[in-house]
Every structure is written in C-alpha cells, then in structure tokens.
Amino acid sequence: MRFLKLLSVTLAGVALIAALALLSVKPCFNGGESYTFFCGDSSKNCREVTVSGNPALTKLTLAEVCGECTEYKDFDLESYLLKVNGKVIFTETLSDSVNYYCKADLPYSVNLYGEEINLHVCVRKNAIKVASPIIFGGY
C-alpha cells in the first residue's frame, strides 16, 4: 500500500512537471493557417521549421528558437494589440502590403532603427502574416 502511494505521488509530480513544461512553450499565436518557428541565433543563420500539427509539441523539440510566425486570412490588429499590451511603433507601406512594426509583451525582440520590435504584422490583399519578433526570410 505504501508503494502505491509513493508511486501515485511520483506520477502526479511527473505530470505536473510535464504540464509546466508545456505551458512554458506555449506558442505566441493561436489559430493560424500554418505555424513556423525561426531557429538560430541571428537572422543570418535562421532556419525555418514549419509545423503542420501541434506547435507547442514541436517547440519542445527545437533548439535556439528565436521567433515564431503564422498566417491568417482575417486578423484584427487592434484587438491583438490590446491582448498583448502592444503598440505600433512604425509602419511601412509597399506596393503589395502594409507592414506594422510593434512593441508588445512577446518573448522575442530585435532592434530596428533604434527601436525594440517584437511584433511584425504584414497585411496583404489575401492574407496576413504575423511574427515575433519579425518575419524572417521575406514574405
């Protein structure tokens, strides 16, 4: 009987540690069409890993994650900024898109033009790509 109690306490502890590990790797974004992790220590050596399944489980297996990205068909920037305590620092309008560079409560950041940026939203006609800290590799 004592062995079963010890075993159940041990299993409960392992389950708690596993749950905490999954919470610590929670993806930055929810509900996107696809999910990409950027791995490396700079944009020069950035490797893209696109996930078709559960991003949180994949994130557990990756080393040197330096950013995350997803695409949406519809995205409410103002609502998302409220959710992550964010604000637009500057915008960039191109012929096919508008880019919003923001500061928000997200785990990754880069310095652009003297500003700390950790949220990049690229709005195109057919889709919106959202990344933290920025969209690496072009879009």
Side-chain angles (χ1 to χ4, degrees):
M1 187 65 145
R2 188 173 187 196
F3 173 73
L4 290 177
K5 282 184 179 180
L6 181 60
L7 181 61
S8 66
V9 168
T10 302
L11 290 176
V14 168
L16 178 63
I17 290 170
L20 291 174
L22 282 175
L23 285 175
S24 70
V25 294
K26 182 179 181 257
C28 291
F29 311 108
N30 295 319
E33 300 296 316
S34 65
Y35 209 92
T36 300
F37 291 100
F38 302 118
C39 301
D41 60 7
S42 69
S43 62
K44 278 187 201 176
N45 74 351
C46 190
R47 176 175 60 96
E48 294 184 22
V49 177
T50 301
V51 178
S52 59
N54 186 335
L57 290 176
T58 301
K59 190 175 181 181
L60 273 173
T61 67
L62 297 174
E64 294 185 315
V65 174
C66 64
E68 302 178 31
C69 182
T70 193
E71 272 190 61
Y72 297 99
K73 290 186 194 275
D74 186 38
F75 182 76
D76 184 347
L77 178 60
E78 293 301 319
S79 293
Y80 188 73
L81 289 174
L82 287 172
K83 181 179 172 184
V84 295
N85 192 31
K87 71 175 190 172
V88 176
I89 303 299
F90 59 91
T91 61
E92 175 183 54
T93 303
L94 304 173
S95 63
D96 64 344
S97 63
V98 177
N99 289 277
Y100 299 89
Y101 295 90
C102 311
K103 188 171 192 163
D105 292 339
L106 292 168
Y108 312 102
S109 67
V110 294
N111 190 300
L112 287 178
Y113 309 113
E115 296 284 349
E116 182 181 330
I117 300 298
N118 50 15
L119 175 63
H120 177 189
V121 178
C122 179
V123 179
R124 288 192 165 177
K125 192 176 200 175
N126 298 330
I128 297 103
K129 195 165 204 175
V130 180
S132 179
I134 61 171
I135 301 167
F136 292 113
Y139 176 62

